Amino acid sequence: MKQTYINIIANIEKLHRLSLEVIKAYLDRQNIHDINNVQCFILYNIGEARLTVGEISNRGYYMGSNVTYNLKKMIESGYIDQEQSDHDRRSSHVKLSPKGMAFYKNFEKLFELHIKNLATNGVTEESLKNLLKNLHKLEAFWGFMVMHDIHH
C-alpha cells in the first residue's frame, strides 16, 4: 500500500502539471498570448459568478499565493472587471468582462471535446465520480493530518 500511496501523490502533481500543459497548448493553437494557463483556470472557475479575491482563494479555485497578481493581470488584459464593494472599501469583487465571458464560452468547448474523448477512451462518468470521491477522502485525510499536526 505504501508504494501505491507514494505513486498517487506523485501522480497528482504530474496530472496537475500536465493539465496546465494541455491548456497552454490550447492557448498556443488559438494564438492567445494575453492570458496564461493558470489564469485560464481561474477565469473558468469564476464563470458567471461575482466573487471576492478571498472567495476565489477559499473555494480552491486557485492554489497558490499569486491569486491577486493573476487577477490584476487579467484585469489589465480585459478579461475581468473589478468593482469596489459597497459595504467595505477594502474589499472588491471581480466578474468576467464581455471579453472574459466570450473566452469562457470558447474555453468550454475544450472541456466538451475532452468529455467526448474521455468516453471514447473508456473513461466513464462513474469511474470519474469514484476517482473524485477517493480524492476527497485523501484531501480530508491530509487536512486532518495538518490540523492535528500528526507525525506518527
Side-chain angles (χ1 to χ4, degrees):
M1 185 161 164
K2 179 181 175 185
Q3 193 55 51
T4 301
Y5 178 67
I6 299 300
N7 288 343
I8 286 170
I9 293 169
N11 235 349
I12 289 169
E13 175 63 24
K14 183 173 153 185
L15 287 171
H16 175 69
R17 283 193 317 266
L18 193 54
S19 70
L20 290 175
E21 287 300 315
V22 167
I23 295 170
K24 184 181 180 324
Y26 166 81
L27 292 172
D28 290 345
R29 280 192 310 276
Q30 299 287 321
N31 203 26
I32 298 171
H33 303 291
D34 60 349
I35 189 169
N36 68 33
N37 49 7
V38 171
Q39 293 164 356
C40 286
F41 191 65
I42 296 169
L43 182 143
Y44 186 79
N45 282 294
I46 293 171
E48 297 182 21
R50 181 177 172 268
L51 303 170
T52 66
V53 174
E55 287 172 322
I56 293 168
S57 297
N58 291 340
R59 292 180 184 188
Y61 290 168
Y62 176 68
M63 302 300 178
S65 58
N66 294 328
V67 68
T68 303
Y69 168 81
N70 281 304
L71 288 172
K72 180 178 175 246
K73 287 298 189 186
M74 288 188 288
I75 291 165
E76 290 171 3
S77 297
Y79 288 98
I80 290 182
D81 291 331
Q82 182 178 25
E83 46 192 49
Q84 289 300 121
S85 171
D86 294 333
H87 307 296
D88 183 354
R89 286 287 165 208
R90 297 169 296 173
S91 179
S92 64
H93 290 85
V94 295
K95 65 178 184 172
L96 300 187
S97 67
K99 178 182 178 180
M101 188 55 71
F103 180 85
Y104 171 85
K105 289 179 179 176
N106 191 36
F107 197 56
E108 179 78 0
K109 293 175 188 171
L110 176 68
F111 290 122
E112 290 169 6
L113 179 64
H114 287 186
I115 297 306
K116 181 177 150 187
N117 286 316
L118 281 170
T120 60
N121 285 287
V123 178
T124 65
E125 184 173 2
E126 182 181 345
S127 67
L128 288 176
K129 284 181 179 178
N130 285 334
L131 175 60
L132 185 59
K133 183 175 75 174
N134 284 313
L135 288 172
H136 283 299
K137 287 179 184 179
L138 193 54
E139 179 183 14
F141 171 72
W142 286 342
F144 178 85
M145 297 297 284
V146 169
M147 286 184 64
H148 294 85
D149 196 28
I150 298 174
H151 299 288
H152 54 278

